[in-house]
Each structure stands twice: as C-alpha cells, then as structure tokens.
Amino acid sequence: MAVELNEIEEAEVDLEEWLVEQAENGVPEIVLIGLLRDYADDIEQLGYVPRMWCASDR
C-alpha cells in the first residue's frame, strides 16, 4: 500500500499537536518519550500497528 507524502505530513502534524497538547497538560516529556519508544518497539516487533491495544499485547 503506497502512502502519499501528504498523508505522512498530516500524520506528523497530528502527532506533533498531540505531543504538544500532552506536554501543555503537564505530562512530563520523559514520559512521552518513554511511551513513544515503547510503542515503537511493540510495532517493530509485531511488524504492524494493532488496531486495538490490550494488556496482553504489551
């Protein structure tokens, strides 16, 4: 499945906005970094992004 450049840019903007919102709401940056790393590791291991995350996936 080909991904258009504008879809990548839109996803990037959405992620940036979410991260800023979390930081502005008091979530420490170190927590956000940890979450991103954990999810990246899970996705890399699975080879895809689960459409639902559950405790057994983590």
Side-chain angles (χ1 to χ4, degrees):
M1 176 175 119
V3 178
E4 299 290 327
L5 182 58
N6 63 333
E7 290 177 306
I8 295 170
E9 291 170 347
E10 185 177 321
E12 184 177 8
V13 168
D14 289 346
L15 179 57
E16 288 171 353
E17 290 174 355
W18 182 83
L19 288 168
V20 168
E21 181 180 325
Q22 299 313 302
E24 288 176 343
N25 286 331
V27 179
E29 279 82 353
I30 195 70
V31 171
L32 297 171
I33 291 167
L35 287 172
L36 290 170
R37 285 183 178 151
D38 286 347
Y39 278 104
D41 289 345
D42 290 347
I43 293 165
E44 184 176 35
Q45 181 180 22
L46 293 170
Y48 64 94
V49 176
R51 298 312 182 247
M52 290 184 64
W53 296 93
C54 58
S56 63
D57 292 339
R58 309 231 77 249

